[in-house]
Each structure stands twice: as C-alpha cells, then as structure tokens.
Amino acid sequence: MINNLFDVFLDSDPATFCLIKHSVRFEKSYIEKSISTLEKNLTEIYPDWEGLKVFIDIKDRALYIIVFLTFLKLKSKPVLVPIEVKEEDYKNSEDVFMSDNKNLDFGLFINTEFNVAVGSNFNKNSLVKTSDAAALYLYTSGSTGKPKLIEKSVQNIVVELEELKKIFPINKKTTFYFTPPIYHIYGLLFDLFLPMSCSCAIYVDYLFTPETIAQYVLDNRIEFFVSIPSYYKMFVTLNLVGSFASCKYLTNSSAPLDKETSKVFYKRGLNIVEIYGSTETGGIARRVSPKDENWELFSYVDIVKSRENEDEKARELLILSPSVSVDFDKTVGFNTGDIVEFTGDNKFILLGRNTRFVKISGKRVDLNYVFSKIRDYFHSKGLENVDEQNLYVGCYKEKLFVIFSDEYPDEFHIIKEELKKRLPGYSSPRYFVKKEIPRNSMGKINRVEIEKIAEKLFSGNK
C-alpha cells in the first residue's frame, strides 16, 4: 500500500530503474545517494520539512526529479511551478521556493552538485506547515486565464497510475522519452511515476525542435514516447514519422489530436493513445482515433445522469472518480465542462464544451452549433480536414468572429452570405481571419491571446 508517493521510488527495481542523461546512466543507487546528500543539506538549513509547501522551479530534468523525490521523502508538499506562473503569484514568506535558474533573495538556489544557497531574505522563522491532505500541488494550464493551484492526494495519483499500468503492459526494459514538462499532470504521470513504478529507464535530455527529438528517439530506440498535438503534427509535416518505428507506445494529451495526423502514424503501424482528462479530474478516458473516434472510460470512472438530461443523447459529462482532486457534490457528480454523446459500452463522443453559450441581442447562442455549421459549409466546399485544431469560433462584445488557420474556400463576403442561409442573422460571424489558433505550451487554446486578437479585429486594427 502506498502512503507516501516516495514509496513508488522505493519500490522500483535498482537493476533496471535509471535516469539517462547525455548517454550516461544514473542508476537507482546514484539517485538514492543524491537524495541523501540533498536531504542532509536541506535539514542543515531547516530541521523539519514535513508539511511545508515547497515551490519547485527547476529546468534540469534529472535535477528536477531528484529534488522532487527528496521533498516527497521529507514529507513536504511539493508545488510544481510551470513557466506561465510569475514570481508574484508564489512569493509568500510562509512557503519555500527552490530554483536552479532564479537566484531569488527570498528562496533557495540549488546546483547540480546538490549544494543549496540560501537567499539573503529567506526567513525560516516565518515558514508555516500545511495540514491539508495534498501530497503535492499542480497548477492548471491557464488556458482560460490565470493558472490555479490544485491539490493532488496520494489516492488521486495512485488510482490513475494503476489504471495506466493496466492500459500499457510495459516491462522493465521499456525506455521512456517525453516532451511535456513534469509540472503538468500528464507529464508527472507519464514522464515520472509510470516509468518509475515499472522500473524503467527514463531519458531526460531536453530537446526542443521536432527534428532533434525525432533523431533522439531513433538513435536511442525509444519504446514509450510521450508528447502533445503540436509535436505530432510537426513530425508529420516534416516527414519524420519513420523515426518512431521503435516505439511500442505513443501517447498524447492536453488537447485532442487531429485525425489526419493520427492516421499518418496509424498507417505506419503506430497507434497514438490519446488521454482525455484535466488537472482537476485526472484521467477520464482514452482512444486511438483512427480505430475508433469514441472515447473509452477508465475503469474507475462512473457516469452520473442528471434528471434534466437522462434521456438525451447529448448531455453534460458528470463523473464520479477517485482521481478528481477538488470538492464536489457526490450525488450530482463532478461536471467536466464537456458535452458528450454516449454510444454504449462506457464509450462516448466528445462534442464540445458546455460553457460555449453566449448572449447576442438578448438571444442565447451556442458557439458549438455555429462551429458545426461553419465546418459543414467548409466540408461542402471540399475542405474535409476541418476541426478544432484549425477552426475557432469566438464572441467579442456580442459579435462573432472566426479564426481559421488554413486557406478559406471563398471570399469573406461570400462566406458571410452563405452562412446566413444556415444560421440566424444574429449568430452569423462578423469577422474572419486567417491565423494560427494561439495555444499554450501544452497545446490548449490560449484564451488570453484569443481576446487580444478579438480586440484588434473589432477595433479595426487587423
């Protein structure tokens, strides 16, 4: 039974679990020694770390993992800090901040030798222990605004980890490489906890360009590759799919993968398993879209049917799940914010967000409905590959606009007239713009940047 997430490391096999950086293997014995060194250095600074929130902002992946495991061993409550979060969002004298790239006067600075420097304004007498049930904290992606801090308990992590081990029957010889950051829930599980719990080798070199990543996977014969939609799409565009021939498992999360990209891999015998979920909910379902566009629920997820939509085919996705990490009414279920159509056998089709209703001239407009009509029109003009990856419908000051990342099929005035035949006048888009849909580092739509685009459109500054 796992009571502390550090137990996952303790249970790993020293014969096979390791970190590989610049072709050098760091065996479990080295990691244990490093943890002991850092633990000693930390307790010299402060004797009792249990219950303290520790904000971790570390760029070096191997160092990140060792620091994270050390604080789990010390029974601290690690807070995994993404690049989107600013200093003013976490600066708090009651908590601890540790970095290998920001030498802040109120925090701790660590180097690759596990030496810790104390900031000039670090006040250990002001630190306060936290008594909540969190084992660690993650920030949401911030796609809808400012990132929020979410508690994750041991149960939240372990229940999903056990499910992933059933879905992916990996062995101790499986090698892992990842592009998502560890501070994301998808990254934390697939980059660290899954390979560690299965005693696998984790390649931790940081690479950025699709060409270098593909070559790295090829050269090291990576078997389990973890990434996000933007990278998979670039691999196809740059004709790099063949570099992944050694991969037994490829996974995608943070946003749905467009079918055409998935199909290219599928035709090469490579199945990309998409994971549907969020920081708050943990994993909910999975699919391989060329095989089946339906999402299949994880075994631990139960569906709640509300009286209002019990008999409707399309309805809100309300779930009961031990991986949900926020409080919710268990009789009602946790509202994921999505509209789905259930197709039987614990499967569903994801139709869109249920938050996409706006008021225009006093009338309620479903942006998903408008999206579907525009997509249908584009399909009728021969543009078959139109989906959420390249088409976006938004609303700004009761006026609709469309962003399309490919070439429009007609002049804008023609499109407007055609859409008026399919939509009420008040719900017909006012502006059309050809532009890549802005997304954050995890591939989710960046609402803040969308708002900036809309402001320029409607101010006349195109």
Side-chain angles (χ1 to χ4, degrees):
M1 180 178 178
I2 295 177
N3 297 310
N4 184 323
L5 291 175
F6 186 70
D7 294 340
V8 179
F9 170 73
L10 292 178
D11 292 341
S12 62
D13 188 339
T16 54
F17 174 64
C18 66
L19 306 178
I20 300 177
K21 179 181 177 183
H22 304 325
S23 300
V24 177
R25 293 174 65 90
F26 296 94
E27 310 289 351
K28 184 178 179 181
S29 58
Y30 169 84
I31 300 170
E32 288 176 324
K33 183 178 179 181
S34 301
I35 290 171
S36 296
T37 299
L38 179 55
E39 181 182 15
K40 178 178 179 294
N41 292 339
L42 288 170
T43 51
E44 287 177 354
I45 295 170
Y46 192 76
D48 182 13
W49 290 85
E50 183 173 355
L52 290 179
K53 274 187 181 178
V54 182
F55 288 70
I56 301 175
D57 175 22
I58 293 177
K59 301 303 180 188
D60 183 283
R61 287 177 163 186
L63 182 60
Y64 196 120
I65 290 170
I66 291 169
V67 169
F68 176 65
L69 291 175
T70 302
F71 282 117
L72 289 181
K73 182 181 180 182
L74 289 167
K75 298 182 180 179
S76 303
K77 296 176 181 286
V79 183
L80 310 190
V81 181
I83 57 174
E84 295 86 0
V85 174
K86 308 302 180 185
E87 178 184 333
E88 57 267 23
D89 295 325
Y90 54 69
K91 186 173 182 180
N92 187 330
S93 62
E94 297 179 350
D95 303 321
V96 182
F97 180 82
M98 173 171 276
S99 179
D100 67 340
N101 65 93
K102 294 187 179 77
N103 206 341
L104 303 176
D105 61 359
F106 62 86
L108 304 176
F109 186 85
I110 185 171
N111 62 22
T112 53
E113 300 299 319
F114 312 111
N115 296 316
V116 182
V118 180
S120 57
N121 289 331
F122 180 77
N123 183 3
K124 61 184 180 182
N125 295 320
S126 67
L127 302 181
V128 176
K129 295 180 182 293
T130 304
S131 59
D132 59 35
L136 57 92
Y137 304 84
L138 296 170
Y139 280 93
T140 59
S141 64
S143 57
T144 57
K146 187 177 179 180
K148 295 181 295 183
L149 199 58
I150 301 295
E151 297 178 14
K152 304 299 289 188
S153 69
V154 173
Q155 181 193 30
N156 293 153
I157 299 294
V158 171
V159 70
E160 185 169 357
L161 181 59
E162 293 305 313
E163 181 80 359
L164 295 178
K165 289 162 72 173
K166 295 175 187 175
I167 295 171
F168 303 101
I170 59 182
N171 58 49
K172 294 179 181 180
K173 294 182 179 180
T174 303
T175 52
F176 278 70
Y177 183 71
F178 55 94
T179 65
I182 297 174
Y183 57 67
H184 187 276
I185 180 60
Y186 169 54
L188 181 66
L189 284 165
F190 282 86
D191 302 351
L192 180 58
F193 279 119
L194 178 60
M196 185 166 61
S197 68
C198 296
S199 302
C200 299
I202 308 173
Y203 284 74
V204 296
D205 292 312
Y206 177 72
L207 304 167
F208 179 73
T209 68
E211 294 91 345
T212 56
I213 291 170
Q215 190 63 48
Y216 187 88
V217 170
L218 178 64
D219 292 344
N220 293 286
R221 298 190 60 78
I222 299 298
E223 295 172 294
F224 201 119
F225 180 68
V226 184
S227 199
I228 58 177
S230 57
Y231 273 117
Y232 284 119
K233 189 172 183 178
M234 286 188 287
F235 295 143
V236 170
T237 302
L238 298 172
N239 197 27
L240 298 171
V241 176
S243 299
F244 297 84
S246 64
C247 294
K248 296 178 182 178
Y249 308 100
L250 299 102
T251 64
N252 172 80
S253 191
S254 79
L257 185 64
D258 68 275
K259 290 181 183 177
E260 290 307 307
T261 295
S262 188
K263 279 180 183 177
V264 175
F265 279 84
Y266 185 71
K267 288 177 180 177
R268 300 289 291 266
L270 300 167
N271 295 338
I272 302 176
V273 180
E274 296 183 71
I275 305 297
Y276 163 61
S278 68
T279 307
E280 295 94 327
T281 65
I284 295 174
R286 71 185 193 274
R287 72 173 181 180
V288 178
S289 60
K291 282 185 177 181
D292 188 356
E293 71 171 324
N294 293 274
W295 294 90
E296 182 178 353
L297 288 168
F298 283 4
S299 65
Y300 57 72
V301 178
D302 291 321
I303 299 300
V304 178
K305 295 180 180 179
S306 66
R307 294 178 180 178
E308 291 78 10
N309 60 21
E310 186 171 1
D311 298 323
E312 294 179 4
K313 222 176 177 184
R315 58 177 184 263
E316 293 177 319
L317 181 58
L318 307 174
I319 65 170
L320 293 176
S321 168
S323 68
V324 174
S325 56
V326 293
D327 290 333
F328 65 98
D329 187 338
K330 304 299 189 294
T331 61
V332 176
F334 180 83
N335 193 331
T336 64
D338 290 318
I339 299 293
V340 301
E341 178 183 331
F342 287 99
T343 56
D345 299 325
N346 290 322
K347 291 185 177 182
F348 62 88
I349 296 173
L350 190 60
L351 300 179
R353 300 289 292 174
N354 65 356
T355 55
R356 303 217 70 207
F357 288 95
V358 297
K359 281 288 187 72
I360 298 177
S361 300
K363 298 179 176 63
R364 194 167 183 255
V365 175
D366 180 359
L367 295 183
N368 286 325
Y369 178 76
V370 176
F371 174 95
S372 69
K373 290 299 180 182
I374 298 173
R375 182 187 57 195
D376 291 346
Y377 169 66
F378 283 4
H379 285 178
S380 73
K381 303 296 290 186
L383 299 180
E384 294 297 328
N385 300 325
V386 177
D387 57 23
E388 293 84 357
Q389 294 298 311
N390 54 12
L391 178 66
Y392 178 85
V393 179
C395 182
Y396 182 78
K397 294 184 178 180
E398 297 196 8
K399 298 180 181 66
L400 300 189
F401 62 95
V402 176
I403 301 174
F404 189 50
S405 60
D406 298 327
E407 293 293 335
Y408 281 93
D410 289 309
E411 297 291 333
F412 293 157
H413 70 277
I414 296 176
I415 297 175
K416 288 179 182 180
E417 291 304 314
E418 288 296 324
L419 290 179
K420 285 179 181 178
K421 299 174 184 177
R422 300 166 182 254
L423 292 162
Y426 60 84
S427 65
S428 292
R430 180 74 61 89
Y431 283 114
F432 296 81
V433 60
K434 180 182 181 302
K435 190 179 184 68
E436 285 295 324
I437 299 170
R439 299 179 184 275
N440 62 21
S441 61
M442 291 305 297
K444 295 184 178 182
I445 291 174
N446 189 321
R447 309 291 178 189
V448 174
E449 292 301 316
I450 289 283
E451 184 83 1
K452 292 178 182 177
I453 292 172
E455 287 176 355
K456 288 183 179 179
L457 281 175
F458 290 94
S459 67
N461 300 320
K462 302 179 190 178

